[in-house]
Amino acid sequence: MSLEEKNLPFDEYVYNDKWRSRTIDVKTYWEYHKRSIENLEEFWASIARELEWFRPWDRVLDASNPPFYKWFVGGELNLSYLAVDRHVKTWRKNKLALIWEGEPVDQAGYPTDRRKLTYYDLWREVNRAACMLHCNFGIKKGDRVTLYMPMIPELPIAMYAAWRIGAITNVVFSGFSADALADRINDSQSRLVITADGFWRRGKVVRLKEVVDKALEKAPSVENVIVYRRLGLNDVPMTEGRDWFWDRAMAGVPHNAYVEPERLESTHPSYILYTSGTTGKPKGIVHDTGGWAVHIYATMKWVFDLKDDDIYWCTADIGWVTGHSYIVLGPMLMGATEVMYEGAPDFPQPDRWWAIIERYGVTVLYTSPTAIRTFMRFGEEWPRKHDLSTLRIIHSVGEPINPEAWRWAYRNLGYQNVAFGSTWWMTETGGIVISHAPGLYLVPMKPGTNGPPLPGFEVDVVDENGNPVPPGVKGYLVIKKPYPGMLHTIWGDPERYVKTFWSRFPGVFYAGDYAIKDRDGYIWVLGRADEVIKVAGHRLGTYELESALISHPTVAEAAVIGIPDPIKGEVPMAFVVLKQGVAGTDELRKELRQHIRNTVGPIAEPGQIYFVTKLPKTRSGKIMRRLLRAVATGAPLGDVTTLEDETSVEEAKKAYEELKKEVS
Ligand code: WT7
């Protein structure tokens, strides 16, 4: 859809009032929103009071040292207590917390590995794991623990165990390479790593422990490794005195162990999560305890409208922030029943997800545009095999959702009778910021929009100088006031925190996205305004991929860009200058692909690698990725006055055309 089309008027409104939502008009919504911003502190305090605090806060917001804002200062709480203990004191004690399904199926296609945990089960497991961490490994408040785990219940269990004793989690996505894992362990200086022998993915075993071993060759801070046996492999390499199987690590921990939850200050860091930026190594985004809990609790209610009879399923991986906020913390804060799935969406067939929704009667689904587009390609006969009529709310996240994908899902998954939105937020915001809110007030939906900002969030779209742009004009997305879930710093680098997020437009948070605001005040996020690319919703820095390429002995220089892809949203393309005397063969292309897989991870594998002898640069030596993007998408070059050597673009074009010929 073009900017003009997104521009006004846009009149395709789809109302939904099947499920308890109060639908209201936009004007009324904005009045409500305005009141929340005018009384920001009281607004958030009224939500925070619905949680249980060990000690109430003295101050809602301490803004004395911006941008180092502090939320609920003086308050004390514990996430593990809020998500688990609180429910076992009520009728929810034996309510199902987690329905977990492993990937393997029998011949009839029925899952063979399933586990169901009630809140009471969870409470016991979390206490035992907390005891293991604290009593057997000496983990204490403030220590960092790295988790490199598949999608199994022990991952949230281990996270709650860590948070119970005040340890700071550092979850690393299990698809990342040993190098990426080592970087994240080193930067966070973790004492302990928790992992698994492996997991199932598309019918194959993925071995994890070996990756950890490789990472630990470069990560000396780690004293111990705990290995959960997901697969029961009998040839897992174990280092004596350092590595322990989870069951052995539990030695001496009684079945009814109880560990008193630490009274943590609201500002105590709960987790670090590394994410890619424009330059340098991935940044360790740091989130607090109290602010994050309040933000997640509020958005669970507003956006997902979770009630006790709901069955909630977020299809993300816990290795990304979506999983942290909306698999691990959110549903459990609410005492909800949630589904968790280990494997691939298309195993053994492209209807696995629809079978899961039908099997458990899922009512609320949180997924990604990339997944929806993949299913579109498989065809609507797959969802049609199953009864999905239980679904009442669907949201997507991670990248813009194209209206065609929205319509496809609205029709084929939602039977044209669901609330369906695209929630905008990012690792840095900790929770959803712009979204439709069927649990609060549902304003008319428009396919492809993010909707208006949630109450309590002051969002705007501004021009180069930080001035708001009129409706329909493209600008930069900013958040103008602090909000509870916001990041607090970059681990070990507070200066970079200020520089990255608060310096582009002084005093406001710069998200790094392009967006437009329509006449109703709805936000349409268009994509990144920086050198970050989104591959299947996963965030990658072009700089990271370039460094990975340059670390290969044959590569002199590299420039990576993202180009649009119908399924993945974007794919990376690499332009590579080889060292003198090295021939650019297909063999080498293969080797470089493998090198990226090894150093960053399989998700970062470039769609194509082009060999050139020089890169387009400005006279000051800056790589002009914009021109490479134009070459690879066939777009006009635009302004080339700062280009130093025009033949560089000609050469890139030639390299591009040649490979295109080969493919077709
Ligand atoms: C970037 C943040 C937040 C969880 C997953 C991604 C893009 C995210 C949307 C959306 C358009 C979106 C933005 C943002 N993004 N959600 N609904 N519509 N764009 O977290 O990896 O930190 O990435 O994802 O570009 O800046 P993340």
Side-chain angles (χ1 to χ4, degrees):
M1 185 195 289
S2 72
L3 251 178
E4 288 65 43
E5 275 175 79
K6 229 170 255 170
N7 208 335
L8 314 174
F10 191 106
D11 55 10
E12 184 164 1
Y13 289 8
V14 187
Y15 280 92
N16 171 275
D17 54 8
K18 174 182 170 191
W19 295 91
R20 302 176 281 201
S21 297
R22 282 168 289 176
T23 42
I24 58 167
D25 61 281
V26 189
K27 205 166 147 266
T28 316
Y29 178 80
W30 280 112
E31 280 159 20
Y32 177 81
H33 185 273
K34 188 159 165 257
R35 282 200 300 280
S36 75
I37 299 293
E38 282 167 358
N39 309 296
L40 196 69
E41 293 190 32
E42 183 39 42
F43 177 76
W44 285 115
S46 70
I47 293 156
R49 275 183 218 112
E50 292 179 26
L51 295 175
E52 204 179 317
W53 297 72
F54 297 141
R55 184 186 185 281
W57 56 88
D58 304 315
R59 246 173 118 175
V60 178
L61 173 64
D62 175 353
S64 58
N65 181 25
F68 297 91
Y69 297 98
K70 292 179 181 157
W71 282 92
F72 306 108
V73 184
E76 288 175 3
L77 75 171
N78 187 292
L79 298 177
S80 162
Y81 178 87
L82 286 177
V84 190
D85 298 50
R86 203 154 78 121
H87 306 307
V88 304
K89 292 198 243 164
T90 70
W91 66 268
R92 291 195 185 88
K93 180 154 97 179
N94 279 315
K95 180 182 173 179
L96 276 187
L98 203 59
I99 303 173
W100 176 81
E101 198 169 296
E103 192 189 72
V105 289
D106 63 17
Q107 284 185 334
Y110 206 72
T112 52
D113 297 357
R114 286 206 292 173
R115 288 165 66 190
K116 293 185 179 181
L117 282 89
T118 66
Y119 275 95
Y120 214 28
D121 293 332
L122 201 66
W123 179 71
R124 293 212 177 283
E125 294 301 326
V126 167
N127 271 289
R128 295 186 68 218
C131 181
M132 160 178 86
L133 294 181
H134 185 65
C135 318
N136 292 358
F137 294 92
I139 298 298
K140 52 184 193 320
K141 184 177 168 186
D143 286 346
R144 274 81 62 205
V145 175
T146 291
L147 299 106
Y148 185 66
M149 295 181 82
M151 288 291 285
I152 54 173
E154 277 63 30
L155 176 48
I157 288 168
M159 288 168 79
Y160 278 118
W163 293 337
R164 197 169 183 89
I165 58 177
I168 302 169
T169 60
N170 168 37
V171 178
V172 180
F173 174 54
S174 59
F176 275 131
S177 68
D179 286 354
L181 175 60
D183 283 347
R184 287 157 175 77
I185 294 172
N186 284 332
D187 191 80
S188 64
Q189 287 291 295
S190 293
R191 290 182 57 193
L192 182 79
V193 173
I194 307 179
T195 187
D197 52 356
F199 62 99
W200 289 102
R201 184 82 192 175
R202 219 162 258 126
K204 290 207 186 83
V205 161
V206 180
R207 301 177 67 104
L208 272 188
K209 174 60 169 49
E210 282 82 343
V211 186
V212 173
D213 285 349
K214 221 174 130 211
L216 292 196
E217 288 168 15
K218 297 186 205 166
S221 64
V222 174
E223 298 156 22
N224 289 104
V225 180
I226 299 172
V227 186
Y228 184 81
R229 294 195 222 224
R230 154 68 183 116
L231 299 173
L233 301 175
N234 53 21
D235 56 348
V236 183
M238 299 291 277
T239 301
E240 179 96 26
R242 187 195 70 183
D243 304 347
W244 312 86
F245 284 116
W246 177 289
D247 37 310
R248 279 292 313 280
M250 282 279 182
V253 175
H255 280 275
N256 59 357
Y258 175 75
V259 175
E260 191 70 26
E262 281 269 344
R263 294 166 146 259
L264 300 172
E265 312 84 70
S266 172
T267 53
H268 177 74
S270 55
Y271 68 96
I272 307 172
L273 190 61
Y274 286 83
T275 189
S276 303
T278 310
T279 54
K281 291 207 160 169
K283 321 180 277 285
I285 303 298
V286 179
H287 284 284
D288 73 358
T289 301
W292 187 48
V294 171
H295 187 150
I296 297 309
Y297 176 73
T299 50
M300 278 319 288
K301 294 211 316 187
W302 301 337
V303 177
F304 299 105
D305 188 34
L306 272 201
K307 300 289 193 312
D308 262 313
D309 56 352
D310 274 310
I311 305 291
Y312 169 93
W313 184 24
C314 168
T315 63
D317 190 288
I318 293 172
W320 308 100
V321 75
T322 308
H324 276 62
S325 296
Y326 297 108
I327 296 177
V328 179
L329 186 62
M332 293 188 179
L333 268 186
M334 306 295 289
T337 300
E338 71 170 314
V339 172
M340 185 173 165
Y341 171 55
E342 173 186 42
D346 54 352
F347 186 90
Q349 299 194 114
D351 64 342
R352 182 60 181 267
W353 278 17
W354 321 136
I356 289 175
I357 289 174
E358 185 175 47
R359 192 147 41 238
Y360 307 111
V362 172
T363 56
V364 179
L365 179 71
Y366 197 21
T367 188
S368 68
T370 223
I372 292 173
R373 289 191 299 258
T374 307
F375 289 122
M376 272 174 87
R377 198 189 45 186
F378 291 140
E380 44 192 75
E381 62 268 31
W382 294 102
R384 219 174 278 148
K385 286 182 202 291
H386 299 274
D387 176 7
L388 309 179
S389 62
T390 48
L391 287 175
R392 67 184 187 92
I393 293 176
I394 304 175
H395 285 290
S396 80
V397 64
E399 51 176 320
I401 185 158
N402 41 317
E404 306 74 54
W406 190 97
R407 288 201 189 88
W408 186 89
Y410 186 67
R411 207 174 36 239
N412 292 295
L413 311 181
Y415 303 166
Q416 312 203 51
N417 205 355
V418 288
F420 181 6
S422 169
T423 65
W424 180 89
W425 58 296
M426 48 200 300
T427 307
E428 289 84 344
T429 68
I432 298 167
V433 174
I434 309 172
S435 174
H436 282 86
L440 185 64
Y441 296 120
L442 185 61
V443 292
M445 299 181 282
K446 309 180 195 182
T449 186
N450 299 107
L454 291 170
F457 297 90
E458 196 179 351
V459 170
D460 213 341
V461 181
V462 300
D463 65 16
E464 289 291 341
N465 304 317
N467 301 316
V469 297
V473 175
K474 178 173 161 182
Y476 301 98
L477 189 70
V478 295
I479 308 177
K480 291 183 147 171
K481 287 213 167 76
Y483 52 92
M486 62 188 290
L487 79 165
H488 288 272
T489 189
I490 292 175
W491 184 258
D493 202 348
E495 273 167 40
R496 196 171 168 204
Y497 164 65
V498 179
K499 199 165 153 258
T500 310
F501 303 108
W502 300 92
S503 302
R504 175 80 190 254
F505 305 111
V508 302
F509 175 84
Y510 171 62
D513 278 336
Y514 284 127
I516 67 168
K517 198 168 49 174
D518 70 18
R519 134 198 83 171
D520 291 325
Y522 286 26
I523 305 284
W524 302 66
V525 172
L526 307 171
R528 297 291 307 183
D530 55 13
E531 300 299 341
V532 166
I533 57 179
K534 281 280 181 144
V535 183
H538 302 320
R539 187 163 158 187
L540 292 169
T542 47
Y543 179 87
E544 255 173 289
L545 270 76
E546 289 163 6
S547 319
L549 283 165
I550 292 165
S551 72
H552 192 272
T554 62
V555 175
E557 265 191 301
V560 172
I561 53 162
I563 67 157
D565 178 87
I567 304 285
K568 291 180 175 174
E570 280 187 296
V571 283
M573 296 283 167
F575 289 84
V576 170
V577 179
L578 295 171
K579 285 191 181 148
Q580 209 126 58
V582 180
T585 59
D586 278 345
E587 260 332 283
L588 183 56
R589 265 196 198 99
K590 241 188 241 156
E591 196 179 317
L592 291 176
R593 278 173 189 283
Q594 192 55 44
H595 181 68
I596 294 262
R597 293 176 74 94
N598 294 345
T599 46
V600 186
I603 53 164
E605 187 179 332
Q608 195 54 271
I609 297 175
Y610 304 104
F611 294 123
V612 289
T613 62
K614 49 186 174 281
L615 296 170
K617 287 183 186 169
T618 60
R619 271 170 214 119
S620 56
K622 232 179 126 203
I623 298 175
M624 297 179 78
R625 295 187 187 79
R626 176 175 68 78
L627 296 181
L628 294 173
R629 210 172 296 127
V631 164
T633 54
L637 291 180
D639 181 12
V640 287
T641 46
T642 53
L643 179 63
E644 189 185 13
D645 178 353
E646 277 176 31
T647 61
S648 59
V649 176
E650 292 310 313
E651 210 196 306
K653 256 190 203 155
K654 228 177 97 203
Y656 172 75
E657 294 298 336
E658 262 164 30
L659 277 187
K660 213 164 99 182
K661 246 184 270 150
E662 261 174 51
V663 174
S664 57

